[in-house]
Amino acid sequence: MTGLAIAANGLRKSYGDKTVLNGVDLAVPTGTVFALLGPNGAGKTTAVKILSTLIRPDAGQVSVGGHDLATAPQKVRAAIGVTGQFSAVDGLITGTENMLLMADLHHLPKAEGHRVAADLLARFDLTEAAGKPASTYSGGMKRRLDIAMTLVGNPRIIFLDEPTTGLDPRSRHGMWQIIRQLVADGTTVFLTTQYLEEADELADRIAVLHDGVIAAEGTAEELKRLVPGGHVRLRFTDPAAYRSAAAALAEAARDDDALALSVPSDGSQRALRSVLDRLDGAGVEADELTVHTPDLDDVFFALTGAPAVPAQPTATDTAAKAPAEENAR
Protein backbone atom coordinates (compact mmCIF):
# COMPACT_ATOMS: atom_id res chain seq x y z
CA MET A 1 0.00 0.00 0.00
CA THR A 2 1.23 3.48 -0.77
CA GLY A 3 0.23 7.03 0.01
CA LEU A 4 -0.59 8.79 3.24
CA ALA A 5 -2.75 7.30 5.96
CA ILE A 6 -2.90 10.66 7.77
CA ALA A 7 -2.32 14.12 6.36
CA ALA A 8 -2.82 17.36 8.30
CA ASN A 9 -2.07 20.90 7.18
CA GLY A 10 -2.21 24.00 9.34
CA LEU A 11 -3.82 22.25 12.31
CA ARG A 12 -4.78 24.76 15.02
CA LYS A 13 -6.53 24.42 18.38
CA SER A 14 -6.88 26.84 21.28
CA TYR A 15 -8.63 26.73 24.62
CA GLY A 16 -9.39 30.30 25.61
CA ASP A 17 -6.14 32.23 25.34
CA LYS A 18 -4.08 29.03 25.43
CA THR A 19 -2.89 27.95 21.98
CA VAL A 20 -2.29 24.19 22.04
CA LEU A 21 -1.66 23.54 18.33
CA ASN A 22 -0.40 26.39 16.20
CA GLY A 23 -0.23 25.36 12.54
CA VAL A 24 0.81 21.71 12.79
CA ASP A 25 1.52 19.77 9.58
CA LEU A 26 1.65 15.96 9.67
CA ALA A 27 2.23 13.35 6.96
CA VAL A 28 2.01 9.69 8.00
CA PRO A 29 2.74 7.09 5.28
CA THR A 30 0.50 4.04 5.15
CA GLY A 31 1.78 0.95 6.95
CA THR A 32 4.30 2.74 9.15
CA VAL A 33 4.75 3.77 12.77
CA PHE A 34 4.72 7.54 13.26
CA ALA A 35 5.72 8.78 16.72
CA LEU A 36 4.72 12.17 18.08
CA LEU A 37 6.99 13.24 20.92
CA GLY A 38 6.67 16.20 23.24
CA PRO A 39 6.79 17.26 26.88
CA ASN A 40 3.73 17.36 29.11
CA GLY A 41 1.21 19.85 27.76
CA ALA A 42 2.77 19.96 24.31
CA GLY A 43 -0.52 19.06 22.63
CA LYS A 44 0.05 15.39 21.76
CA THR A 45 -3.25 14.16 23.16
CA THR A 46 -5.09 17.12 21.62
CA ALA A 47 -3.67 16.14 18.23
CA VAL A 48 -4.85 12.56 18.70
CA LYS A 49 -8.31 13.72 19.77
CA ILE A 50 -8.62 15.86 16.64
CA LEU A 51 -7.34 13.20 14.26
CA SER A 52 -9.68 10.60 15.81
CA THR A 53 -12.73 12.93 15.54
CA LEU A 54 -13.19 13.41 19.29
CA ILE A 55 -12.80 17.18 19.05
CA ARG A 56 -12.83 19.66 16.19
CA PRO A 57 -9.84 21.79 15.20
CA ASP A 58 -10.18 25.55 15.05
CA ALA A 59 -8.50 25.53 11.65
CA GLY A 60 -6.66 23.24 9.27
CA GLN A 61 -7.34 20.49 6.78
CA VAL A 62 -7.13 16.84 7.81
CA SER A 63 -7.42 13.58 5.88
CA VAL A 64 -7.45 10.24 7.70
CA GLY A 65 -7.67 7.00 5.78
CA GLY A 66 -8.34 8.98 2.62
CA HIS A 67 -11.39 10.67 4.15
CA ASP A 68 -11.80 14.36 4.91
CA LEU A 69 -12.18 14.86 8.65
CA ALA A 70 -14.59 17.79 8.27
CA THR A 71 -16.95 16.33 5.67
CA ALA A 72 -16.76 12.57 6.33
CA PRO A 73 -16.13 12.01 10.06
CA GLN A 74 -18.12 8.76 10.12
CA LYS A 75 -15.92 7.29 7.39
CA VAL A 76 -12.86 8.33 9.39
CA ARG A 77 -14.26 6.62 12.49
CA ALA A 78 -14.87 3.44 10.51
CA ALA A 79 -11.22 3.37 9.47
CA ILE A 80 -9.58 3.97 12.85
CA GLY A 81 -9.13 2.54 16.32
CA VAL A 82 -8.09 4.48 19.41
CA THR A 83 -6.30 3.28 22.52
CA GLY A 84 -5.88 6.18 24.93
CA GLN A 85 -3.58 6.84 27.84
CA PHE A 86 -6.04 5.39 30.30
CA SER A 87 -7.63 2.02 29.76
CA ALA A 88 -11.25 1.81 28.61
CA VAL A 89 -11.47 -1.81 29.81
CA ASP A 90 -14.44 -2.49 32.10
CA GLY A 91 -12.99 -4.21 35.14
CA LEU A 92 -16.34 -5.53 36.35
CA ILE A 93 -16.78 -7.91 33.41
CA THR A 94 -14.57 -10.59 31.91
CA GLY A 95 -12.12 -10.22 29.08
CA THR A 96 -14.48 -12.10 26.76
CA GLU A 97 -17.40 -9.89 27.77
CA ASN A 98 -15.34 -6.77 27.08
CA MET A 99 -14.56 -8.10 23.63
CA LEU A 100 -18.17 -9.06 22.90
CA LEU A 101 -19.31 -5.62 24.03
CA MET A 102 -17.03 -4.10 21.39
CA ALA A 103 -18.36 -6.55 18.81
CA ASP A 104 -21.90 -5.41 19.61
CA LEU A 105 -20.86 -1.75 19.28
CA HIS A 106 -19.48 -2.60 15.83
CA HIS A 107 -22.80 -4.33 14.96
CA LEU A 108 -21.13 -7.65 14.22
CA PRO A 109 -23.43 -10.67 13.91
CA LYS A 110 -23.36 -12.76 17.09
CA ALA A 111 -21.45 -15.70 15.64
CA GLU A 112 -18.88 -13.44 13.97
CA GLY A 113 -18.50 -11.42 17.18
CA HIS A 114 -17.68 -14.57 19.15
CA ARG A 115 -15.22 -15.69 16.47
CA VAL A 116 -13.44 -12.32 16.32
CA ALA A 117 -13.31 -12.10 20.13
CA ALA A 118 -11.83 -15.58 20.47
CA ASP A 119 -9.27 -14.97 17.70
CA LEU A 120 -8.08 -11.66 19.19
CA LEU A 121 -7.92 -13.03 22.74
CA ALA A 122 -5.74 -15.86 21.45
CA ARG A 123 -3.60 -13.45 19.42
CA PHE A 124 -2.90 -11.36 22.50
CA ASP A 125 -2.29 -14.39 24.75
CA LEU A 126 -5.39 -13.73 26.83
CA THR A 127 -7.36 -16.94 26.25
CA GLU A 128 -6.54 -18.41 29.64
CA ALA A 129 -7.64 -15.24 31.44
CA ALA A 130 -10.62 -14.54 29.16
CA GLY A 131 -13.20 -15.82 31.66
CA LYS A 132 -11.85 -13.78 34.57
CA PRO A 133 -12.93 -10.24 35.53
CA ALA A 134 -10.63 -7.71 33.89
CA SER A 135 -10.05 -6.13 37.32
CA THR A 136 -7.87 -9.15 38.13
CA TYR A 137 -5.57 -8.53 35.13
CA SER A 138 -2.08 -7.11 35.43
CA GLY A 139 -1.31 -3.73 33.86
CA GLY A 140 0.23 -5.41 30.82
CA MET A 141 -2.74 -7.74 30.37
CA LYS A 142 -5.19 -4.83 30.57
CA ARG A 143 -3.19 -2.95 27.96
CA ARG A 144 -3.23 -6.00 25.65
CA LEU A 145 -6.97 -6.35 26.15
CA ASP A 146 -7.41 -2.64 25.46
CA ILE A 147 -5.64 -2.96 22.09
CA ALA A 148 -7.47 -6.22 21.30
CA MET A 149 -10.76 -4.34 21.85
CA THR A 150 -9.55 -1.61 19.49
CA LEU A 151 -8.94 -4.21 16.77
CA VAL A 152 -12.45 -5.69 16.84
CA GLY A 153 -13.50 -3.38 14.02
CA ASN A 154 -10.41 -4.26 11.96
CA PRO A 155 -9.18 -0.64 11.73
CA ARG A 156 -6.58 0.32 9.14
CA ILE A 157 -5.19 3.09 11.35
CA ILE A 158 -4.62 2.89 15.10
CA PHE A 159 -3.92 5.76 17.46
CA LEU A 160 -1.93 4.70 20.53
CA ASP A 161 -1.74 7.55 23.04
CA GLU A 162 1.18 6.75 25.40
CA PRO A 163 0.32 3.02 25.33
CA THR A 164 3.07 1.82 27.67
CA THR A 165 2.92 4.45 30.41
CA GLY A 166 3.00 2.69 33.77
CA LEU A 167 4.01 -0.70 32.40
CA ASP A 168 7.00 -2.63 33.69
CA PRO A 169 9.92 -3.20 31.25
CA ARG A 170 8.82 -6.73 30.33
CA SER A 171 5.26 -5.62 29.56
CA ARG A 172 6.58 -2.63 27.62
CA HIS A 173 8.72 -4.85 25.41
CA GLY A 174 5.75 -7.16 24.90
CA MET A 175 3.70 -4.18 23.75
CA TRP A 176 6.45 -3.25 21.29
CA GLN A 177 6.20 -6.71 19.74
CA ILE A 178 2.45 -6.27 19.36
CA ILE A 179 2.93 -2.91 17.64
CA ARG A 180 5.54 -4.34 15.27
CA GLN A 181 3.18 -7.17 14.33
CA LEU A 182 0.34 -4.74 13.67
CA VAL A 183 2.51 -2.82 11.23
CA ALA A 184 3.75 -6.05 9.62
CA ASP A 185 0.09 -6.85 8.95
CA GLY A 186 -0.35 -3.52 7.16
CA THR A 187 -1.79 -1.36 9.94
CA THR A 188 -0.67 2.25 10.32
CA VAL A 189 0.19 3.20 13.91
CA PHE A 190 0.17 6.79 15.17
CA LEU A 191 2.01 6.68 18.48
CA THR A 192 2.45 9.34 21.14
CA THR A 193 5.05 8.65 23.79
CA GLN A 194 7.49 10.23 26.20
CA TYR A 195 9.69 7.15 26.26
CA LEU A 196 12.47 8.07 23.84
CA GLU A 197 13.70 4.47 23.65
CA GLU A 198 10.20 3.49 22.52
CA ALA A 199 10.21 5.94 19.63
CA ASP A 200 13.75 4.92 18.69
CA GLU A 201 12.78 1.24 18.65
CA LEU A 202 9.46 1.49 16.84
CA ALA A 203 9.03 4.61 14.74
CA ASP A 204 9.75 4.94 11.06
CA ARG A 205 9.42 8.71 11.45
CA ILE A 206 9.33 10.94 14.51
CA ALA A 207 7.98 14.45 15.01
CA VAL A 208 8.81 16.54 18.08
CA LEU A 209 5.95 18.79 19.17
CA HIS A 210 6.84 21.84 21.26
CA ASP A 211 4.90 25.01 22.04
CA GLY A 212 2.19 23.99 19.60
CA VAL A 213 4.44 23.52 16.57
CA ILE A 214 6.54 20.73 15.08
CA ALA A 215 10.07 21.58 16.19
CA ALA A 216 11.67 18.85 14.06
CA GLU A 217 10.71 15.76 12.08
CA GLY A 218 12.60 12.87 10.53
CA THR A 219 13.92 9.41 11.18
CA ALA A 220 15.58 8.77 14.52
CA GLU A 221 19.01 8.98 12.90
CA GLU A 222 18.17 12.23 11.11
CA LEU A 223 17.01 13.81 14.37
CA LYS A 224 20.11 12.68 16.23
CA ARG A 225 22.29 14.42 13.67
CA LEU A 226 20.57 17.72 14.46
CA VAL A 227 22.21 17.88 17.86
CA PRO A 228 25.91 18.74 18.25
CA GLY A 229 28.13 16.68 20.52
CA GLY A 230 28.80 13.61 18.42
CA HIS A 231 32.41 12.51 18.36
CA VAL A 232 34.83 9.71 17.66
CA ARG A 233 36.93 8.77 20.69
CA LEU A 234 40.39 7.36 20.01
CA ARG A 235 42.47 5.86 22.78
CA PHE A 236 46.18 5.00 22.59
CA THR A 237 48.61 3.10 24.77
CA ASP A 238 51.76 4.46 23.08
CA PRO A 239 52.42 8.13 23.99
CA ALA A 240 54.30 8.69 20.73
CA ALA A 241 51.40 7.38 18.67
CA TYR A 242 49.06 9.59 20.72
CA ARG A 243 51.13 12.69 19.97
CA SER A 244 51.30 11.84 16.25
CA ALA A 245 47.53 11.34 16.11
CA ALA A 246 46.95 14.62 17.94
CA ALA A 247 49.09 16.42 15.38
CA ALA A 248 47.17 14.81 12.49
CA LEU A 249 43.80 15.57 14.09
CA ALA A 250 44.33 19.14 15.21
CA GLU A 251 40.63 19.74 15.90
CA ALA A 252 40.46 16.88 18.41
CA ALA A 253 39.98 17.52 22.13
CA ARG A 254 42.90 16.01 24.03
CA ASP A 255 42.93 13.99 27.24
CA ASP A 256 46.65 13.67 27.93
CA ASP A 257 46.17 11.59 31.09
CA ALA A 258 44.07 8.97 29.30
CA LEU A 259 45.98 9.28 26.00
CA ALA A 260 42.62 9.82 24.30
CA LEU A 261 41.36 12.12 21.56
CA SER A 262 37.77 13.18 20.87
CA VAL A 263 37.19 14.17 17.24
CA PRO A 264 33.92 16.00 16.47
CA SER A 265 31.80 13.82 14.18
CA ASP A 266 28.21 13.34 13.09
CA GLY A 267 28.69 9.59 13.36
CA SER A 268 28.30 8.98 9.65
CA GLN A 269 30.36 6.42 7.74
CA ARG A 270 31.94 9.19 5.68
CA ALA A 271 33.07 11.11 8.77
CA LEU A 272 34.52 7.97 10.34
CA ARG A 273 36.37 7.08 7.15
CA SER A 274 37.88 10.58 7.07
CA VAL A 275 39.29 10.13 10.58
CA LEU A 276 40.73 6.71 9.74
CA ASP A 277 42.27 7.99 6.49
CA ARG A 278 44.01 10.81 8.34
CA LEU A 279 45.36 8.36 10.91
CA ASP A 280 46.60 6.11 8.11
CA GLY A 281 48.28 9.12 6.51
CA ALA A 282 50.11 9.77 9.76
CA GLY A 283 51.09 6.10 10.07
CA VAL A 284 49.18 5.78 13.35
CA GLU A 285 46.73 3.16 14.56
CA ALA A 286 44.46 3.68 17.57
CA ASP A 287 44.21 0.93 20.16
CA GLU A 288 40.55 1.65 20.76
CA LEU A 289 37.96 3.52 18.70
CA THR A 290 34.39 4.29 19.74
CA VAL A 291 31.74 6.40 18.05
CA HIS A 292 29.52 8.52 20.27
CA THR A 293 26.39 10.12 18.82
CA PRO A 294 23.63 12.05 20.58
CA ASP A 295 20.58 9.96 21.44
CA LEU A 296 16.93 10.94 21.30
CA ASP A 297 17.11 12.16 24.89
CA ASP A 298 19.64 14.75 23.74
CA VAL A 299 17.43 15.67 20.78
CA PHE A 300 14.35 15.98 22.98
CA PHE A 301 16.11 18.18 25.52
CA ALA A 302 17.75 20.36 22.85
CA LEU A 303 14.47 20.95 21.02
CA THR A 304 12.12 21.33 23.99
CA GLY A 305 14.33 22.28 26.93
CA ALA A 306 12.60 19.56 28.96
CA PRO A 307 13.69 16.08 30.01
CA ALA A 308 11.61 13.20 28.68
CA VAL A 309 9.75 11.88 31.70
CA PRO A 310 6.43 10.02 31.60
CA ALA A 311 3.35 11.92 32.66
CA GLN A 312 1.58 10.91 35.84
CA PRO A 313 -2.20 10.85 35.30
CA THR A 314 -4.43 12.43 37.89
CA ALA A 315 -7.73 11.00 39.03
CA THR A 316 -9.53 13.85 37.25
CA ASP A 317 -7.71 13.13 33.99
CA THR A 318 -8.66 9.47 34.22
CA ALA A 319 -12.32 10.19 34.86
CA ALA A 320 -12.52 12.66 32.00
CA LYS A 321 -10.64 10.55 29.46
CA ALA A 322 -12.40 7.19 29.76
CA PRO A 323 -15.81 8.28 28.37
CA ALA A 324 -14.14 9.98 25.42
CA GLU A 325 -12.22 6.82 24.58
CA GLU A 326 -15.38 4.75 24.76
CA ASN A 327 -17.05 7.12 22.31
CA ALA A 328 -14.06 6.86 19.96
CA ARG A 329 -14.35 3.12 19.84
Side-chain angles (χ1 to χ4, degrees):
M1 299 177 68
T2 59
L4 295 179
I6 301 169
N9 298 104
L11 203 58
R12 298 180 184 274
K13 184 66 180 179
S14 298
Y15 295 99
D17 60 358
K18 171 67 173 176
T19 299
V20 181
L21 300 176
N22 190 17
V24 169
D25 297 335
L26 297 169
V28 181
T30 298
T32 64
V33 178
F34 184 94
L36 186 64
L37 306 183
N40 291 339
K44 302 186 302 297
T45 296
T46 297
V48 169
K49 285 182 175 180
I50 290 173
L51 296 174
S52 59
T53 77
L54 283 175
I55 60 176
R56 293 181 179 179
D58 297 332
Q61 294 181 321
V62 182
S63 172
V64 179
H67 306 295
D68 186 275
L69 192 72
T71 61
Q74 290 293 354
K75 290 183 178 180
V76 171
R77 292 177 191 129
I80 67 172
V82 182
T83 298
Q85 291 182 37
F86 314 115
S87 175
V89 169
D90 187 337
L92 298 178
I93 59 178
T94 68
T96 295
E97 289 167 339
N98 270 283
M99 295 293 292
L100 293 177
L101 176 61
M102 292 306 301
D104 287 342
L105 290 174
H106 283 282
H107 307 293
L108 297 183
K110 187 173 181 180
E112 183 181 355
H114 279 273
R115 179 187 60 78
V116 170
D119 287 349
L120 286 170
L121 288 167
R123 178 178 175 182
F124 286 88
D125 196 24
L126 291 169
T127 300
E128 187 174 331
K132 300 176 182 178
S135 60
T136 65
Y137 290 13
S138 67
M141 292 170 67
K142 286 181 180 177
R143 222 39 176 146
R144 297 204 306 273
L145 179 59
D146 210 12
I147 294 181
M149 291 165 63
T150 300
L151 295 179
V152 167
N154 194 28
R156 292 178 287 134
I157 301 165
I158 296 180
F159 294 93
L160 299 180
D161 194 9
E162 302 195 17
T164 63
T165 295
L167 297 186
D168 61 76
R170 182 183 296 274
S171 296
R172 182 173 298 126
H173 280 264
M175 190 60 61
W176 293 355
Q177 288 300 110
I178 289 171
I179 293 171
R180 291 188 184 103
Q181 187 58 54
L182 288 172
V183 176
D185 292 340
T187 304
T188 303
V189 175
F190 187 102
L191 170 75
T192 74
T193 182
Q194 291 190 68
Y195 293 115
L196 282 304
E197 180 190 8
E198 187 161 272
D200 207 352
E201 283 280 337
L202 295 174
D204 297 287
R205 292 190 67 79
I206 300 168
V208 181
L209 185 64
H210 181 53
D211 286 341
V213 299
I214 300 297
E217 182 181 342
T219 66
E221 293 307 313
E222 287 170 347
L223 292 180
K224 291 172 187 177
R225 288 198 289 269
L226 295 176
V227 179
H231 63 275
V232 176
R233 180 175 171 83
L234 305 165
R235 193 179 64 80
F236 302 83
T237 56
D238 180 3
Y242 168 67
R243 289 192 294 270
S244 296
L249 302 167
E251 76 278 20
R254 298 178 55 152
D255 183 344
D256 293 339
D257 292 332
L259 298 181
L261 300 173
S262 293
V263 185
S265 170
D266 63 6
S268 67
Q269 183 177 335
R270 178 180 297 178
L272 181 58
R273 184 182 295 115
S274 174
V275 171
L276 295 176
D277 287 345
R278 291 162 70 188
L279 287 178
D280 287 341
V284 180
E285 184 173 327
D287 294 283
E288 182 180 297
L289 181 152
T290 53
V291 179
H292 299 263
T293 57
D295 58 21
L296 281 183
D297 287 302
D298 299 316
V299 174
F300 191 94
F301 189 84
L303 293 174
T304 69
V309 293
Q312 296 299 317
T314 65
T316 302
D317 291 334
T318 305
K321 186 74 182 292
E325 289 174 359
E326 281 296 338
N327 291 336
R329 297 183 190 281

